[in-house]
Amino acid sequence: MGENAKRAGITHIVVDAKIPYGHTTYPSQFGYHVSRWSDGRYDMWRDRDFLQEMIDALQPTGLKILANIDVFAEGTAESRDGVAYDHKEWQVMFYNPSLLSAPVAAENASDQTIFVNPIHPEVRRHELAIIEEITAHYELDGIVLDRCRYPNIYGDFSDLSRTMFEQYIGQQVEQWPQQIITVQEDPEGTRQVEFGRWFGKWAEWRALNIKNFVKEAKQLVKSLKPDLLFSIYVGSWYPLYYNEGVNWASETYRSDLPWVSEDYHRSAYADELDFLMTGCYYPEVYIEEAQQNGRPASWYSVEGAIDISMQAVNGQIPARCESIPEGLRRRCRTV
């Protein structure tokens, strides 16, 4: 496998160490091994260290090996497996429980992932412990964070988040959560989200929460192994990524979105990374195709997604755009 990848021109391999439901592919002191899945679907993984197996297989090829860690995803509602069910106080509290799996941008509407609250102190300690464990114990070339975000625009509306947000703005939110967002539903079941008085600061605060965690995780990784690459994988739909509470642009980038607060750029974290990966997976490859098919914006195409990715990082770090055809590779280059 490794030799075939190398012959194909691949230089880096990302190996799952912690999957989207919180389970680990290696024996962990902090997370559940995938073989503990309650319905037995991963029994064949018992006593296996998939991460080490992949490292052993790939190291002779000279390929760069990065461990992928799905951060704030800690369970699945499908089988009620995961650490999130051991610590229900960790779970994200939604604006309305019925919105748990509400689709956001390119997210899967049927996704049953259970997210935990990124600002809960125990959650942060748990996630950092796993990052430290992987970094310290495995011979890697880098760490990639994924799902280092909120699940969607509808969470988290817990008492903890309200208290911390009110401290951030220095006053009480008199009408909670209506002064953040209100959700209307028409007779056909289509939801419309309306932004309230405090939405701009709320988006800024949520993104700062994620940025602060990213900075802490980076400091931890670099303190253990300074030469390791530190990266994050995100969706390329930047104009909608406030839904996930993430500002993956550079601090030097100024968004012109209508709700953006004066200090929103302070929440941007691209400058903390060695490189950024954005997922550019759309049915239309070129901008012209997206326009012809009535897509809402040019970035609903692979070409447009590459363009907006490069604009947002603003030349500050290398960017890698995933799922791009060969003819567009020159547009997503190291900058």
Side-chain angles (χ1 to χ4, degrees), residues 195-212:
F195 300 159
R197 172 190 175 187
W198 290 111
F199 179 77
K201 295 300 288 184
W202 174 256
E204 172 190 313
W205 173 77
R206 291 173 86 213
L208 271 173
N209 293 335
I210 301 301
K211 178 180 182 176
N212 289 336

Side-chain angles (χ1 to χ4, degrees), residues 245-285:
V246 170
N247 182 0
W248 51 258
S250 165
E251 275 198 45
T252 63
Y253 179 70
R254 298 294 186 272
S255 172
D256 60 359
L257 295 169
W259 52 263
V260 166
S261 64
E262 182 178 353
D263 291 327
Y264 186 66
H265 65 280
R266 293 177 50 246
S267 68
Y269 67 47
D271 310 270
E272 301 296 329
L273 311 176
D274 291 311
F275 68 94
L276 176 72
M277 292 186 286
T278 67
C280 302
Y281 27 82
Y282 291 95
E284 287 81 21
V285 174

